[in-house]
Amino acid sequence: MVCSVFISHATKDVPLVQAVVDLIEDGLGVPEGEIFCSSLKGHGIPVGQNFVEYMRKEIAAPEVVVLLLTENYFNSNFCLSELGAAWVKGHKIFPIVVPPLNFSAIKDVLLGVQAIGLEDDISYNQLRETLNDLKLVTKSVTKWDVKRRYFFQSLPGILEKLPKLETVDPAEYANVKQNLEEAKSELLSYEDEIAQLKKRIGALEKLKDTKEVQAVRREFSGSDYVAQFDTAVKAIISLRSKIGGPEVLKFMLADYYGASYGMDVRNYPEQFEEASLVKVVRLQDRSVQWGATRAQEVRQRLAEIDRLMDEQDSYDEIAGHYADRDIPFETDNLEFWESFYGV
């Protein structure tokens, strides 16, 4: 799931980034799992994940984007991409201007946006109010005041650790500026998309019935995730009889998701004997033979369902459609298997 708070920052500014995250986490009590910060362990990108794809997923729908606007930030194409994405998506943003920059840095897509200065003590209460409105604050005002005072006492030393902006060749600067102008032009082309999204949100807010909400989502998204999900589920149910039966399918599901579940040959001998004949399982070592044709078909359908569950929009649509089923909507859960696959 996407984190509620996205910290948009330059990698070179890690000492400051760490202090701000500590302030939010320890001073306000925002849970670690609700803060995404790509440069910090425990808040960043899990091992094995594609960096760009994971970043795209996280910037898609956070509740608030905290912008640490430093010289290094505006000198980073990746940071400017995050800023552009937040603007296009219409996210709530909380800009913090870091010296030696001043409020004149608030221009282009940030023009007119209210920001606070890094050293403006009282203004940080607005950050607390913003996160409190999102039901993320769990610490008392006293704890917040103590942590905030410590943060400001530490700031001079933190700012000294930040690397200074390197000078850029004028020709390179002109090239980057041209690229930025082209990027801004491209961003403006998304205005129609933003208007459609706002229209979609307005329509959804007027509805109370879950089925109606899903119908509106399908209308504006141009896709029917529920139909894709149902097709994959029906295919698995159809394969169930071809691989031996529901108990064999349960055994394969457990193996696919890495759950501990033994082959129950004693109570279901006929199912597993048939599964052995179609080469889906091997009785000698009680294992799934994923290279078999039927097993590959099962795995392909499960991968389709997992893909739908990994995307926020499709997950919301499908989970909302089946909200009346009182089960955890988790593909590696036995209750999910029983409800959808009939195992």
Side-chain angles (χ1 to χ4, degrees):
M1 295 298 177
V2 175
C3 296
S4 298
V5 182
F6 186 103
I7 309 295
S8 182
H9 66 283
T11 305
K12 293 181 179 180
D13 299 326
V14 167
L16 175 61
V17 175
Q18 180 69 71
V20 171
V21 170
D22 287 345
L23 178 66
I24 294 173
E25 188 173 349
D26 298 338
L28 296 175
V30 176
E32 176 183 318
E34 293 291 347
I35 304 172
F36 177 78
C37 183
S38 61
S39 297
L40 301 184
K41 291 183 178 180
H43 296 285
I45 300 171
V47 174
Q49 295 287 336
N50 179 277
F51 180 86
V52 175
E53 290 300 321
Y54 201 90
M55 290 288 288
R56 183 181 292 127
K57 173 185 172 184
E58 287 296 332
I59 196 63
E63 297 290 341
V64 63
V65 179
V66 177
L67 304 170
L68 288 177
L69 303 178
T70 66
E71 290 182 316
N72 291 319
Y73 187 96
F74 286 109
N75 198 42
S76 166
N77 288 336
F78 211 94
C79 290
L80 294 177
S81 296
E82 292 177 2
L83 174 58
W87 179 72
V88 167
K89 295 292 185 180
H91 295 328
K92 180 187 289 292
I93 61 173
F94 193 92
I96 302 176
V97 181
V98 180
L101 294 182
N102 53 42
F103 290 107
S104 64
I106 306 299
K107 54 187 178 181
D108 296 327
V109 298
L110 288 174
L111 189 63
V113 175
Q114 296 299 308
I116 70 168
L118 178 70
E119 299 169 302
D120 188 356
D121 187 344
I122 301 303
S123 293
Y124 277 78
N125 287 327
Q126 297 178 43
L127 176 60
R128 185 178 194 278
E129 292 171 4
T130 297
L131 297 179
N132 189 51
D133 290 342
L134 301 176
K135 312 299 182 186
L136 295 174
V137 174
T138 60
K139 296 292 180 69
S140 66
V141 174
T142 301
K143 177 68 175 180
W144 164 243
D145 288 339
V146 171
K147 189 67 181 180
R148 196 177 78 231
R149 281 197 295 270
Y150 175 78
F151 172 77
F152 283 101
Q153 290 170 1
S154 306
L155 268 185
I158 293 171
L159 291 175
E160 288 206 1
K161 294 178 182 178
L162 300 185
K164 303 302 179 185
L165 184 67
E166 299 176 0
T167 57
V168 180
D169 179 82
E172 183 180 351
Y173 170 78
N175 184 51
V176 170
K177 185 176 180 180
Q178 180 181 348
N179 290 338
L180 178 59
E181 292 300 324
E182 292 175 356
K184 285 161 55 180
S185 177
E186 184 177 348
L187 289 174
L188 290 173
S189 69
Y190 286 104
E191 287 186 347
D192 287 342
E193 179 184 345
I194 295 172
Q196 277 292 96
L197 289 172
K198 289 181 177 179
K199 183 178 179 182
R200 169 185 173 184
I201 292 170
L204 288 173
E205 288 176 346
K206 295 177 182 178
L207 301 177
K208 296 181 180 180
D209 184 84
T210 302
K211 302 296 183 181
E212 292 181 6
V213 172
Q214 299 310 319
V216 171
R217 281 180 172 165
R218 288 194 294 274
E219 176 187 349
F220 286 94
S221 67
S223 63
D224 192 341
Y225 297 121
V226 174
Q228 296 176 42
F229 175 82
D230 288 345
T231 298
V233 169
K234 289 176 182 177
I236 291 175
I237 294 173
S238 175
L239 286 165
R240 190 178 59 195
S241 60
K242 298 176 182 179
I243 59 176
E247 185 63 23
V248 175
L249 177 57
K250 184 192 294 187
F251 176 66
M252 294 178 71
L253 289 166
D255 187 82
Y256 180 83
Y257 289 107
S260 178
Y261 185 72
M263 182 186 292
D264 192 355
V265 179
R266 175 178 297 181
N267 292 316
Y268 303 94
E270 293 181 357
Q271 288 192 33
F272 284 103
E273 286 173 6
E274 183 177 345
S276 176
L277 290 174
V278 294
K279 300 182 179 180
V280 168
V281 301
R282 187 164 57 195
L283 297 178
Q284 293 90 327
D285 58 3
R286 303 198 170 194
S287 62
V288 177
Q289 301 303 297
W290 289 109
T293 300
R294 295 303 186 193
Q296 288 181 8
E297 292 175 10
V298 171
R299 181 164 57 186
Q300 178 184 349
R301 295 303 185 176
L302 291 174
E304 291 174 9
I305 291 173
D306 285 339
R307 176 181 56 79
L308 289 168
M309 295 299 98
D310 287 341
E311 295 293 334
Q312 191 66 48
D313 286 346
S314 53
Y315 175 88
D316 290 343
E317 182 175 315
I318 297 166
H321 183 81
Y322 289 107
D324 55 339
R325 299 200 185 191
D326 187 21
I327 60 167
F329 215 75
E330 303 161 346
T331 56
D332 59 352
N333 189 294
L334 176 60
E335 292 182 65
F336 184 94
W337 303 345
E338 291 173 340
S339 179
F340 286 101
Y341 307 140
V343 298

